[in-house]
Amino acid sequence: MDTHVIRGCRCRHTPPPPAPGPPPPRHQVLFFRRRGGRACQSRLSWSHRALAQAHLTSATAARRPDSDDATKHAFKSILTSLPKPGGGEYGKFFSLPALNDPRIDRLPYSIRVLLESAIRHCDNFQVTESDVEKIIDWENTSPKQAEIPFKPARCILMDNTGVPAVVDLAAMRDMMPKLGCDPYKINPLIPVDAVIDHAVRVDVARTCDALERNQELEFDRNKERFAFLKWASTAFHNMQVFPPGSGTVHQVNLEYLARVVFNEDGIMYFDSVVGTDSHTTMVNSLGVAGWGVGGIEAVVAMLGQPMGMVLPGVVGFKLTGKLQDGVTTTDLVLTMTEMLRKHGAIGKFVEFYGVGVDELSLPARATIANMSPEYGATMGFFPVDQVTLDYLKLTGRSNETVSMVEAYLRANKMFVEHHETETNRVYSSYLELDLCKVEPCVAGPKRPHDRVPLKEMKSDWHSCLDNKVGFKGYAVPKEEQGKVVKFDFHGQPAEIKHGSVVLAAICSSTNTSNPSVMIGAGLVAKKACELGLEVKPWVKTSLTPGSVVTSEYLKHSGLQEYLNQQGFHLAAHGCATCVGNSGDLDESVSAAITENDIVAAAVLSANRNFEGRVHPLTRANYLASPPLVVAYALAGTVDIDFDKEAIGIGKDGKEVFLRNIWPSNQEVEQAIQSSVKTHLFRQVYESILKRNPRWNVLQVPEAALYPWDPNSTYIRKPPYFKGMSMSPPGPPTVKEAFCLLNLGDCITTDHISYSGKIPDGTPAARYLHECGVDPKNFSSYGGRRGNNEIVMRGAFANMRIVNKLLDGQAGPWTIHVPTGEKLYVFDAAMKYKSEGHDLVIIAGAEYGSGSSRDSAAKGPMLLGVKSVIAKSFERIHRSNLVGMGVIPLCFKEGKDADSLGLTGRERYTIHLPTNIAEISPGQDVTVTTDDGRSFACTLRLDTQLEVTYFNHGGILPYMVRNLAAGQGK
């Protein structure tokens, strides 16, 4: 454990395992910035330093039970020494076996992680012995929706959601002096790692300099927000920022940041993490408990407060057998996603077990864990086994670290041997899959759980053209389905039709973390080149892996050369196409699509394919393995039966089928063994923080309080604390509210808070015009989420959102009910606000599914929305709504707006008690309308802690008051 003395303040931080070259010590508390890798003193008064020393020392000491206070700990009797094989000890740990409680042996491994955390943090204040008992008695308490506190070991951020979270931190720090309190109480008490990975866009593709040019454009557009994050890394204790181009947060977490086991101040404990991206679950593949949260929940965790959660049920998913030759992990995860969606995993943990797990590589497990949000689960957990340890060594963790991890897990009965028969563990429900029955498939065209077997793809596509508009339909008239549009592509004749692939992207940490499918894609490209096949030049192809290591082993294997020949040049290290930063299509292609109403297709190796997310002009979007992405790019269409139809004609004049270019598992494995080496991981991560020269020279303010620029269009001080006092405002009233939007099922956070490019003419564009921003520099909604003015103008700005008030018309508009005017949603909300009206939103099932964006709660709140009434909510989004003081209500089972005859043109009054003591989690609430209707809803404040947040107007005001009152030590 490294302890760094900082101006008299002992700042504790445990870095990731050291072998690859650990990050430098956390940027020093409040007062230091980095120059040339060394800390230099900022110009702050000694009184400020003394205040920081006092508060940070006490706060840090209060985080966990160390050797000084172990004697007072409620579970001190089970604090056990873990000896090293050669003498001495690794450290001490809270031994679960030492409790001698037979119920623990029956607990799923994932629940045992929660148990150890509760035991370690048990102070009978934030975490009580009663909480520990609830977890031990999980079999009985979980079905009763018991509430427990959870304190993660660390937090990770990505920039699109991380910038708003850090903006909130900076604003909270600003608010403290106004309440007569010390601003230095606002500091992360756990390690926080931010990875800038969502800002890059594929503006340039199919050229050897695409990477450099895209990075240059990325930095030019985002310099201000990058500087803000770099400032935060110097101003806040325990915060580290990975520069643009480092990879995706999930892959950096998997390959480098994840500890699996912490060893801090001689106390050993399970690694756990929350992150501001729903795919934080990827690290579950390492046996690390972690899941996505909204930025506001992340702030709570950073500040050392417990997160309230309902003790989840656990689906036990048994795997047997082995994948057949030619079947990829992507095929497997799409199959699992379909199964788990049908089974029901929302709000639950999924834990994988059985001999089939032993047949899956760690990267294969990472693919499965990554897609937990798509199958609805909070986690997709793989307990640690020998495969895990081998991966830790492969990625450069030291032998000593791996030995410590294994010793701790074995001692705490958390290490798995899959060949051993285990009969004790109990799960809430069970699923089973024989891996040998998995077949090649894709998912789409609009949802990740709509799996299509590859052999049925052609017929399924024709059904989609025939079907009425919906998740599996486009309602294209029969006589129009064969239409061919010819156009000129830079002097070359070109043509597209319904189903033509215009965008093919190997992207997303879901798949680019897995050498088997990445090497597989390279081999498909190689075989295609050798046979004389080429991707048509009007197909926008790109490669954006989530790790620098991935591009290194593709280069070392010689396969990048063949990918380049097919147009899959390296375009970025980050999350680009998968989050909608796919860049523009060629103007000629765009015109051919829009002028002829073509249902164009994108094929990508990502985890989400909601309409309007990938690209505004690709109405059909299919998820596929990287090798299939290359294959569909070569075919140029999704309207193909790969078994019966040729991909193209080879240089010898003969037809080439998919089977002619598809590599065997043996070919893939041989290439992996010769190219994926430990030294690549070590070389990359030893220099990861200094790889970006633009970042290295970026100048940032030397200040503990952020110097807000009132003219900034990227970073603005948020209004959440305006007029705030120490007294909570109590529950809000919602009386005679108008409905801002009446929405259907599966409204995603992409619909609610669009991430893509800001189009001219929209409310956000008008605002930027007024601020003097050139349209070419508008950038994206996601890139400007540090500015609340953009957040609220970006709410419901997606061109594909369907609002029933508009009779099914798609787009970012609504009806101002009193006048009947059709207005942009933002303009209508401002008109309602000027008239003094409350607002509600009506929605269907799974409202808020998709990415974990707190902007999807902040935006509606800033528009004046007081409540969302839906059939059901996605887990993270419901929590975000609560965090922003928006009331989440669920229609009663079997009821929805249609069955109740609600059109959205009524006025709604929510009869909620005004005394917080009369409000309890999950209680019934009556809603009445001005036309005499009355219906009951369930209040989706799920825990007593959420009721407390609600009383304060949200999490952030609660945290400020709590810390200002001296309770947040």
Side-chain angles (χ1 to χ4, degrees):
M1 198 285 298
D2 295 329
T3 301
H4 307 291
V5 179
I6 305 167
R7 297 194 180 181
C9 172
R10 293 178 67 79
C11 164
R12 297 183 176 92
H13 165 63
T14 303
R26 296 293 185 187
H27 293 295
Q28 314 303 341
V29 185
L30 305 176
F31 319 111
F32 281 60
R33 57 173 305 190
R34 296 252 168 210
R35 288 199 185 105
R38 294 185 298 176
C40 67
Q41 183 173 312
S42 176
R43 298 179 182 87
L44 293 176
S45 70
W46 283 103
S47 60
H48 283 164
R49 300 173 199 171
L51 283 169
Q53 174 183 334
H55 290 299
L56 285 176
T57 301
S58 61
T60 305
R63 289 184 22 218
R64 65 189 180 285
D66 58 22
S67 55
D68 294 333
D69 59 12
T71 56
K72 298 178 289 184
H73 197 277
F75 290 89
K76 63 181 180 182
S77 63
I78 64 167
L79 192 62
T80 304
S81 174
L82 183 63
K84 287 184 176 180
E89 68 171 16
Y90 288 112
K92 293 181 171 57
F93 70 102
F94 288 94
S95 170
L96 301 184
L99 287 171
N100 293 317
D101 192 321
R103 292 175 297 176
I104 294 175
D105 290 335
R106 295 171 60 83
L107 292 178
Y109 289 110
S110 50
I111 297 299
R112 297 183 203 182
V113 176
L114 302 184
L115 174 60
E116 186 277 337
S117 176
I119 288 172
R120 180 164 34 88
H121 288 109
C122 184
D123 57 3
N124 282 316
F125 174 58
Q126 290 185 334
V127 183
T128 68
E129 291 178 73
S130 174
D131 295 321
V132 173
E133 172 58 25
K134 288 178 189 176
I135 302 173
I136 293 176
D137 199 33
W138 169 83
E139 280 187 70
N140 297 311
T141 54
S142 174
K144 299 175 184 177
Q145 299 287 288
E147 178 187 350
I148 62 165
F150 177 66
K151 300 182 77 171
R154 57 190 178 91
C155 179
I156 57 173
L157 312 173
M158 60 89 158
D159 56 305
N160 270 10
T161 51
V163 166
V166 179
V167 166
D168 290 344
L169 274 179
M172 292 170 72
R173 181 179 277 183
D174 272 7
M175 189 64 201
M176 295 295 277
K178 296 174 183 176
L179 298 175
C181 301
D182 177 12
Y184 302 117
K185 284 187 176 182
I186 305 298
N187 260 299
L189 297 181
I190 59 175
V192 178
D193 293 286
V195 180
I196 299 175
D197 62 351
H198 275 60
V200 68
R201 199 164 79 193
V202 187
D203 293 294
V204 182
R206 300 191 69 139
T207 68
C208 292
D209 62 349
L211 176 66
E212 175 61 26
R213 290 169 64 187
N214 287 328
Q215 286 184 338
E216 183 177 3
L217 289 166
E218 172 192 22
F219 218 93
D220 288 344
R221 290 190 190 105
N222 295 277
K223 186 175 181 180
E224 186 179 342
R225 61 198 290 267
F226 290 173
F228 173 72
L229 285 175
K230 193 169 184 179
W231 164 82
S233 71
T234 67
F236 289 106
H237 162 65
N238 231 10
M239 183 176 290
Q240 178 170 255
V241 178
F242 286 73
S246 299
T248 62
V249 64
H250 310 309
Q251 218 156 327
V252 173
N253 192 24
L254 185 76
E255 296 175 354
Y256 181 52
L257 291 173
R259 280 77 156 171
V260 182
V261 173
F262 268 83
N263 191 346
E264 186 174 0
D265 282 357
I267 300 294
M268 305 172 68
Y269 53 96
F270 297 125
D271 187 4
S272 59
V273 62
V274 292
T276 60
D277 189 296
S278 52
H279 296 102
T280 299
T281 52
M282 187 169 176
V283 80
N284 300 161
S285 58
L286 280 176
V288 175
W291 53 84
V293 296
I296 43 184
E297 279 188 291
V299 170
V300 171
M302 287 183 217
L303 295 177
Q305 301 300 300
M307 300 169 55
M309 63 181 292
V310 172
L311 192 58
V314 182
V315 178
F317 202 136
K318 185 177 182 180
L319 301 179
T320 60
K322 184 178 181 179
L323 293 176
Q324 297 183 68
D325 197 46
V327 176
T328 69
T329 306
T330 314
D331 303 322
L332 171 60
V333 74
L334 294 178
T335 301
M336 288 177 161
T337 299
E338 181 184 51
M339 291 177 65
L340 282 160
R341 276 284 178 179
K342 290 178 180 178
H343 180 81
I346 293 176
K348 299 176 183 178
F349 291 173
V350 175
E351 187 166 299
F352 298 96
Y353 70 101
V355 293
V357 174
D358 210 25
E359 298 294 335
L360 298 177
S361 68
L362 197 292
R365 300 175 190 184
T367 299
I368 295 165
N370 179 285
M371 285 193 71
S372 294
E374 282 63 53
Y375 45 79
T378 303
M379 283 206 303
F381 191 79
F382 288 85
V384 176
D385 61 5
Q386 187 59 47
V387 171
T388 318
L389 301 182
D390 292 343
Y391 181 80
L392 292 177
K393 292 178 181 178
L394 171 67
T395 50
R397 277 78 164 192
S398 69
N399 289 334
E400 182 180 359
T401 295
V402 176
S403 295
M404 180 270 291
V405 168
E406 180 178 6
Y408 170 81
L409 293 171
R410 288 189 182 278
N412 238 347
K413 290 190 175 180
M414 287 287 287
F415 192 86
V416 175
E417 303 281 4
H418 295 288
H419 62 275
E420 294 180 356
T421 302
E422 296 192 42
T423 57
N424 288 335
R425 281 195 320 286
V426 173
Y427 295 106
S428 307
S429 61
Y430 296 83
L431 271 177
E432 184 170 345
L433 174 64
D434 184 346
L435 298 180
C436 72
K437 295 182 179 179
V438 177
E439 58 184 343
C441 59
V442 297
K446 301 182 184 182
R447 296 189 300 185
H449 52 280
D450 290 332
R451 186 180 70 90
V452 184
L454 200 60
K455 62 187 178 184
E456 299 174 15
M457 181 60 183
K458 188 177 181 72
S459 61
D460 189 83
W461 172 248
H462 283 275
S463 295
C464 288
L465 292 178
D466 290 334
N467 295 342
K468 67 179 183 178
V469 175
F471 296 120
K472 294 286 288 186
Y474 296 99
V476 177
K478 283 282 189 185
E479 63 273 15
E480 293 287 322
Q481 291 181 13
K483 177 173 61 177
V484 177
V485 176
K486 298 183 181 295
F487 63 100
D488 179 84
F489 182 80
H490 301 280
Q492 180 178 350
E495 64 179 46
I496 59 171
K497 58 182 181 178
H498 296 301
S500 287
V501 175
V502 297
L503 193 155
I506 300 174
C507 60
S508 174
S509 53
T510 308
N511 282 290
T512 64
S513 62
N514 189 345
S516 68
V517 291
M518 296 303 292
I519 293 291
L523 288 171
V524 168
K526 179 176 184 289
K527 289 171 181 282
C529 289
E530 291 169 346
L531 291 172
L533 299 184
E534 289 184 2
V535 176
K536 297 292 189 295
W538 55 84
V539 180
K540 184 170 185 178
T541 46
S542 62
L543 169 64
T544 56
S547 171
V548 178
V549 177
T550 303
S551 55
E552 287 296 311
Y553 69 65
L554 284 175
K555 180 174 66 176
H556 282 269
S557 68
L559 294 174
Q560 185 62 57
E561 173 189 346
Y562 298 103
L563 287 165
N564 289 350
Q565 289 183 44
Q566 299 298 348
F568 288 94
H569 296 79
L570 180 63
H573 291 114
C575 193
T577 300
C578 49
V579 76
N581 289 344
S582 50
D584 295 332
L585 297 176
D586 187 86
E587 289 183 3
S588 64
V589 177
S590 297
I593 294 170
T594 55
E595 293 170 9
N596 299 279
D597 197 25
I598 291 294
V599 183
V603 183
L604 63 161
S605 63
N607 42 45
R608 289 189 176 141
N609 56 339
F610 306 124
E611 189 173 11
R613 176 186 175 97
V614 176
H615 192 284
L617 298 182
T618 57
R619 290 158 62 189
N621 301 280
Y622 285 93
L623 304 182
S625 66
L628 276 179
V629 171
V630 177
Y632 273 111
L634 288 162
T637 181
V638 297
D639 186 7
I640 184 172
D641 183 337
F642 279 130
D643 285 341
K644 299 176 182 177
E645 298 177 72
I647 287 178
I649 304 298
K651 59 187 177 183
D652 60 359
K654 295 181 180 179
E655 291 184 329
V656 178
F657 291 83
L658 178 62
R659 56 183 172 270
N660 302 135
I661 60 174
W662 197 264
S664 68
N665 288 5
Q666 184 179 6
E667 288 177 283
V668 171
E669 187 58 33
Q670 286 175 348
I672 291 173
Q673 292 300 320
S674 63
S675 58
V676 183
K677 300 293 187 179
T678 299
H679 75 271
L680 296 179
F681 292 92
R682 287 182 171 155
Q683 287 173 0
V684 166
Y685 286 108
E686 282 171 356
S687 60
I688 196 72
L689 295 175
K690 295 296 180 182
R691 289 180 65 90
N692 191 315
R694 298 178 182 88
W695 175 269
N696 295 342
V697 299
L698 184 62
Q699 299 296 308
V700 298
E702 296 183 359
L705 301 179
Y706 186 68
W708 305 98
D709 178 359
N711 298 316
S712 172
T713 58
Y714 272 102
I715 306 295
R716 296 288 291 271
K717 188 174 181 178
Y720 313 130
F721 308 108
K722 190 175 181 180
M724 177 181 159
S725 69
M726 285 296 289
S727 300
T733 59
V734 184
K735 188 175 182 180
E736 296 188 347
F738 282 99
C739 177
L740 183 61
L741 299 104
N742 182 7
L743 305 168
D745 293 342
C746 294
I747 295 298
T748 71
T749 52
D750 288 297
H751 292 119
I752 305 166
S753 182
Y754 186 49
S755 282
K757 187 178 178 181
I758 297 174
D760 209 359
T762 59
R766 295 200 309 262
Y767 163 78
L768 292 173
H769 269 303
E770 292 167 4
C771 294
V773 179
D774 190 293
K776 68 180 182 181
N777 296 321
F778 279 177
S779 189
S780 65
Y781 288 102
R784 290 186 180 270
R785 287 199 185 119
N787 180 351
N788 58 279
E789 297 291 342
I790 295 295
V791 169
M792 62 178 176
R793 286 167 173 81
F796 306 103
N798 192 310
M799 293 300 295
R800 296 297 178 189
I801 190 170
V802 177
N803 178 6
K804 295 179 183 179
L805 289 174
L806 293 172
D807 298 323
Q809 179 186 356
W813 305 280
T814 192
I815 297 297
H816 179 256
V817 173
T819 63
E821 291 179 86
K822 177 185 172 183
L823 300 169
Y824 277 107
V825 172
F826 170 79
D827 294 333
M830 293 303 100
K831 191 174 180 69
Y832 281 124
K833 186 174 285 190
S834 69
E835 296 164 349
H837 298 307
D838 292 339
L839 296 173
V840 299
I841 289 171
I842 304 296
E846 297 180 39
Y847 180 79
S849 57
S851 302
S852 58
R853 295 178 187 161
D854 55 347
S855 58
K858 289 176 176 176
M861 185 277 290
L862 291 167
L863 292 179
V865 173
K866 297 294 183 66
S867 177
V868 178
I869 308 172
K871 286 181 69 175
S872 63
F873 293 92
E874 190 275 339
R875 174 185 65 85
I876 299 173
H877 185 64
R878 183 206 62 81
S879 178
N880 282 338
L881 290 173
V882 174
M884 293 310 300
V886 178
I887 306 168
L889 296 176
C890 273
F891 292 108
K892 287 296 183 179
E893 184 71 27
K895 302 291 184 181
D896 59 18
D898 292 339
S899 68
L900 293 169
L902 303 174
T903 65
R905 296 178 182 270
E906 307 84 359
R907 300 186 71 173
Y908 297 81
T909 297
I910 298 174
H911 298 273
L912 193 67
T914 56
N915 182 352
I916 195 65
E918 298 175 13
I919 297 177
S920 57
Q923 73 179 56
D924 284 353
V925 174
T926 299
V927 180
T928 58
T929 63
D930 61 337
D931 62 0
R933 301 174 195 270
S934 177
F935 56 94
C937 289
T938 300
L939 176 64
R940 287 300 311 276
L941 302 179
D942 289 355
T943 68
Q944 194 58 47
L945 185 58
E946 289 187 342
V947 173
T948 302
Y949 293 156
F950 183 62
N951 188 49
H952 281 260
I955 290 178
L956 300 180
Y958 165 80
M959 288 297 299
V960 169
R961 293 188 182 101
N962 188 34
L963 289 167
Q967 299 173 21
K969 293 192 296 181

